Every structure is written in structure tokens, then in C-alpha cells.
Amino acid sequence: MSEPVDELARVARDAADGDPLAAAALVRATQADVWRLCAHLGDRQSADDLTQETYLRAFGSLHRFAGRSTVRTWLLSIARRTCADAIRSRRRRRLVLVGDDELLERTDGADRTGEGAAVDDLLARLHPDRREAFVLTQLMGLPYAEAAEVAGVPVGTIRSRVARARGDLVDALADEQADEQADDGRAGGARAR
């Protein structure tokens, strides 16, 4: 008796064979996860473009998908590389435009006003490796083994990065609360005068 075939793997195989309905079904089934990863590893403003680029790359190599991992893991790995390529490309463009590493470091991440939510701001402060591990496991709900496959690192490394990310987030929240209390104290002192 043969093993049951993963439905998403069957859809991917049909899409690789040229079935446009299967290709659309594959995108529908995976797009939310791919977009969320792109939004957290890249940024929300470019998440749509990064997601589209991910699917362009995926469909270009779908015929080579060997099934050594799940289709979802394979797609998220492509999304991760797409985001990394986009970040490297942006840095190269800035380096050419700015020409001064010190100026580049000062402008990196300075425009956070458009991002909105405090969670996005906190995640953006994390080291990229820690943010990636945290997003994959805590926000997207991937098991540690699958997140390790996506990131291309051992499971222990993912566990370590998630633990460090949690610690960084706790520290960042404590710092923000201390700053707010200090601001409140200064404002209260000014009113008393």
C-alpha cells in the first residue's frame, strides 16, 4: 500500500506539469505565510513585491522540487533568500548613493514612523538572524525543525536564536517602559513649577 501523498505536494506537482488551476491553488494555500515572512524579514511596504518575486522564483524552479522537504518549507526558504537578496541590493544601492559607511550606519533604520505598530518596531530592533528565527517559530508557528530547514541552520541554533530574541524583546520593552516613566516624571515636575 502506498503512502498518502501530501495534498500541497500533489498540487505543486500538477502546477509543475503546467496546470494553471493547480498553480493558483498553490499560491492561495501558501501566500499568507510567504507574505508574512516577507513582511517581517523585509518590510511591510515591499512585502507584496517580495512575495511576487518569491513566486516567480518558485515557479521557475518548481520542476526541480525534489520533495526532500515540504512544499511550504521549500517556499519559505525561497522567500527567505528573496528577502536577503533584496536587503543586500538595498544596502549596495545606499552605499553607492551615500558613499560613506558612517553616514549609512546612521541612516539605517532611522525611518520607523511609517511602520506603525509597536511589535513591528520591536522586531525590527532584533538582529536579523534572531528576528528570522522568532518570526518563523513564534509568529508563523513553524516547528523548530522546519524553521531550521527554512533558515538552513541546525535546530539548536534556531532554539538559541529564539531564546536570545525573547531576551532582547524583554529588555527592549523594559527600556521603553523606563523611558516612558522618566518622561512622565519630567512632565509632572514641569507642571508642578
Side-chain angles (χ1 to χ4, degrees):
M1 182 173 185
S2 65
E3 284 185 35
V5 177
D6 175 22
E7 180 63 21
L8 201 52
R10 185 194 59 74
V11 170
R13 191 174 49 248
D14 291 348
D17 290 340
D19 181 349
L21 294 176
L26 178 64
V27 171
R28 265 193 318 277
T30 58
Q31 186 173 15
D33 285 341
V34 170
W35 187 90
R36 281 191 348 209
L37 183 63
C38 291
H40 287 295
L41 295 183
D43 59 62
R44 288 186 181 278
Q45 289 78 23
S46 59
D48 290 339
D49 292 336
L50 292 170
T51 299
Q52 184 175 5
E53 177 64 23
T54 297
Y55 283 107
L56 285 172
R57 292 180 183 192
F59 282 113
S61 60
L62 192 56
H63 64 283
R64 291 191 309 260
F65 175 67
R68 289 186 296 270
S69 65
T70 66
V71 173
R72 179 179 178 207
T73 300
W74 178 73
L75 276 170
L76 292 176
S77 296
I78 294 171
R80 177 184 173 270
R81 287 190 299 276
T82 301
C83 292
D85 291 348
I87 290 167
R88 277 193 293 276
S89 176
R90 267 186 265 156
R91 284 186 182 146
R92 277 194 300 271
R93 277 196 306 270
R94 277 194 222 137
L95 198 55
V96 168
L97 293 173
V98 174
D100 183 357
D101 287 345
E102 187 178 319
L103 279 175
L104 179 63
E105 288 174 15
R106 277 187 271 158
T107 59
D108 239 5
D111 183 23
R112 296 283 181 217
T113 57
E115 288 186 353
V119 171
D120 288 340
D121 183 50
L122 288 171
L123 287 174
R125 295 181 198 179
L126 291 174
H127 184 275
D129 290 339
R130 292 177 185 178
R131 180 175 57 239
E132 175 185 50
F134 188 84
V135 167
L136 287 170
T137 59
Q138 307 306 301
L139 299 181
M140 296 184 69
L142 264 62
Y144 283 94
E146 195 172 339
E149 239 181 284
V150 169
V153 297
V155 174
T157 301
I158 289 293
R159 290 185 190 284
S160 172
R161 288 176 181 174
V162 169
R164 288 188 176 122
R166 285 181 181 144
D168 292 348
L169 291 171
V170 167
D171 291 346
L173 284 171
D175 290 346
E176 278 192 10
Q177 288 175 345
D179 289 345
E180 287 174 12
Q181 289 174 350
D183 288 345
D184 289 345
R186 282 192 291 268
R191 278 179 279 187
R193 289 182 199 164

